[in-house]
Amino acid sequence: MSKGVLVVLAVLLTISGCGVYGSKSHFMQEGLPKAAFDMQCPKEQLEVTELSAGSMGVRGCQKQARYEIVSGAGWVLNSDESRQQK
């Protein structure tokens, strides 16, 4: 096997455990705990909607927020998490 193929396999194995970087499954594992903390709402009460690639909307406990994936930083809050739902 060539070195390039081994690198690709290593990358695929790394991301397969946590979903594709920036995907909803990745957010559910890596971003949801942060959203629960930021919104002061249990994870079980949060509803996640994929807004676009790398952008998730989160609603729960009468609040809503938007998270964006940022290379090197992970999921970052990109809205006012205290905004009340209408």
Side-chain angles (χ1 to χ4, degrees):
M1 241 184 240
S2 72
K3 185 177 180 181
V5 171
L6 290 176
V7 170
V8 169
L9 286 174
V11 169
L12 290 174
L13 287 173
T14 301
I15 64 173
S16 66
C18 61
V20 176
Y21 188 74
S23 68
K24 185 173 179 179
S25 62
H26 181 255
F27 180 83
M28 297 304 284
Q29 289 186 335
E30 303 294 327
L32 194 59
K34 178 178 177 18
F37 177 81
D38 291 343
M39 297 174 69
Q40 299 178 348
C41 187
K43 290 188 299 187
E44 300 76 28
Q45 293 182 29
L46 295 176
E47 175 187 335
V48 178
T49 303
E50 186 169 11
L51 301 173
S52 64
S55 179
M56 302 293 154
V58 183
R59 288 184 176 163
C61 298
Q62 298 169 349
K63 297 178 184 177
Q64 65 182 27
R66 184 177 62 247
Y67 286 82
E68 306 285 335
I69 193 72
V70 176
S71 182
W75 291 99
V76 176
L77 179 64
N78 194 21
S79 66
D80 179 6
E81 79 280 0
S82 63
R83 191 173 101 180
Q84 297 292 315
Q85 283 184 287
K86 294 180 181 178

